[in-house]
């Protein structure tokens, strides 16, 4: 493998890892902070992709689809938290699994009624449809580079909000000791509602960003849900930094695994997870139990 091809594969790994982090960070917030196992997270990723297709087709603008899709997903998250999810706090995981599985079925039925079973395509923004010529026979799509930059900027914003703002401090305090935080007068009902809505919006944003390169099709969120849970466990439950490290490790493992070990590439991610958990049972940056 020459250096140019190696560089292309490295860019592919970073692009895959950053998108995976974008989706998994939403699951980290919901699972790690609210304590809710949301099996419907992948369905919201799919919802974002379908919203991108629908809004872009209606308005002719991918950027309007990004803003509109995230806004719709955020509002849906607020409504779901207010009607359903708030009843799951403190309950056993079986109730959470059953409710979130029911949400998967509902979202899939709504998707089928509105869009059918056809595969749809979404065009990238007009200025990002070209490719950079690397060699005589090798080029790299501009939109994939744009995904890397966009997701890295989004990741930086997430880290700044979590680590440098009052909202982030409240969220981290609630993750550490919710009862103590409540005694300080913080209304966690409001915090829960917005944390869940942001988690759903991040999942949808991942689907929107990926739609132009993966197409939009039924069940596209299933594999992303599994990988997101792997990222959360690998990085440490509730750790945004751990999710970032885990997502990049999975991106590198999956991309280079398909290049060097194609016959077993689908297994390598889980081998990686097993190895990390043997080394650190609570994840890379997970809190150790005392």
């Amino acid at each position: 493998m020459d250096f140019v091809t190696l560089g292309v594969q490295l860019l592919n790994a970073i692009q895959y890892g950053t998108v995976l982090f974008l989706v998994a960070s939403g699951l980290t917030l919901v699972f790690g902070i609210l304590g809710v196992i949301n099996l419907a997270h992948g369905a919201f990723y799919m919802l974002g992709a379908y919203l991108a297709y629908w809004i872009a087709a209606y308005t002719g603008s991918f950027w309007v689809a990004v803003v509109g899709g995230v806004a719709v997903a955020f509002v849906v998250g607020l409504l779901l938290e207010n009607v359903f999810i708030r009843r799951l706090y403190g309950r056993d995981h079986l109730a959470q699994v059953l409710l979130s599985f029911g949400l998967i079925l509902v979202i899939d039925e709504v998707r089928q009624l509105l869009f059918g079973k056809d595969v749809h395509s979404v065009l990238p923004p007009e200025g990002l449809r070209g490719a950079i010529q690397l060699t005589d026979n090798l080029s790299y799509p501009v939109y994939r580079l744009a995904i890397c930059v966009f997701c890295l900027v989004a990741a930086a914003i997430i880290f700044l909000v979590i680590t440098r703002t009052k909202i982030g401090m409240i969220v981290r305090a609630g993750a550490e000791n919710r009862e103590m935080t409540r005694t300080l007068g913080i209304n966690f009902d409001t915090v829960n509602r917005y944390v869940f809505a942001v988690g759903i919006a991040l999942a949808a944003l991942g689907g929107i960003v990926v739609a132009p390169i993966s197409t939009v099709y039924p069940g596209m969120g299933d594999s992303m849900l599994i990988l997101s849970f792997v990222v959360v466990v690998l990085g440490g439950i509730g750790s945004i930094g751990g999710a970032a490290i885990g997502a990049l490790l999975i991106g590198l493992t999956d991309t280079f695994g398909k290049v060097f070990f194609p016959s077993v590439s689908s297994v390598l991610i889980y081998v990686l997870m097993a190895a990390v958990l043997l080394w650190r049972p609570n994840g890379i940056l997970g809190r150790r139990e005392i």
Side-chain angles (χ1 to χ4, degrees), residues 61-83:
S61 172
F62 180 77
W63 300 116
V64 174
V66 172
V67 176
V70 171
V72 170
F74 185 80
V75 172
V76 169
L78 289 176
L79 293 174
L80 288 176
E81 197 282 336
N82 190 55
V83 177

Side-chain angles (χ1 to χ4, degrees), residues 28-251:
T28 297
L29 291 173
V30 175
F31 187 25
I33 295 173
L34 304 187
V36 174
I37 299 176
N38 181 21
L39 293 185
H41 200 72
F44 291 111
Y45 170 83
M46 180 185 69
L47 175 65
Y50 273 95
L51 286 171
Y53 159 72
W54 178 64
I55 297 174
Y58 185 77
T59 64
S61 172
F62 180 77
W63 300 116
V64 174
V66 172
V67 176
V70 171
V72 170
F74 185 80
V75 172
V76 169
L78 289 176
L79 293 174
L80 288 176
E81 197 282 336
N82 190 55
V83 177
F84 298 110
I85 304 301
R86 63 166 49 190
R87 291 167 172 76
L88 297 178
Y89 300 139
R91 296 185 62 178
D92 60 275
H93 291 322
L94 178 60
Q96 300 170 2
V97 168
L98 291 175
L99 178 58
S100 58
F101 183 73
L103 287 176
I104 294 176
L105 300 179
V106 171
I107 293 171
D108 197 57
E109 284 298 319
V110 172
R111 186 269 314 153
Q112 185 167 333
L113 287 172
L114 295 177
F115 302 104
K117 297 182 179 180
D118 295 333
V119 176
H120 304 282
S121 61
V122 179
L123 288 175
E126 191 169 342
L128 302 176
R129 294 178 188 174
I132 299 174
Q133 198 69 34
L134 301 176
T135 65
D136 293 338
N137 302 316
L138 188 63
S139 60
Y140 198 80
V142 174
Y143 184 71
R144 285 186 177 271
L145 285 175
I147 288 178
C148 292
V149 174
F150 177 82
C151 290
L152 287 172
V153 171
I157 293 172
I158 292 170
F159 275 106
L160 286 174
V161 171
I162 293 295
T163 60
R164 302 294 183 184
T165 67
K166 182 178 180 180
I167 295 173
M169 182 176 64
I170 292 172
V171 169
R172 286 185 287 115
E176 290 286 343
N177 192 325
R178 176 162 302 206
E179 293 305 317
M180 180 63 73
T181 311
R182 284 185 185 277
T183 62
L184 296 176
I186 294 173
N187 183 1
F188 251 95
D189 292 336
T190 301
V191 173
N192 291 343
R193 187 174 303 120
Y194 284 101
V195 165
F196 183 80
V198 169
I200 297 306
L202 288 172
L205 180 59
I208 294 168
V209 168
V210 168
I213 60 174
S214 72
T215 68
V216 181
Y217 57 92
M220 64 182 293
D222 296 347
S223 61
M224 187 58 74
L225 171 66
I226 296 171
L227 289 173
S228 296
F229 270 111
V230 172
V231 168
V232 171
V233 174
L234 195 64
I237 295 174
S239 172
I240 294 292
I245 296 172
L248 287 175
L249 284 175
I250 289 177

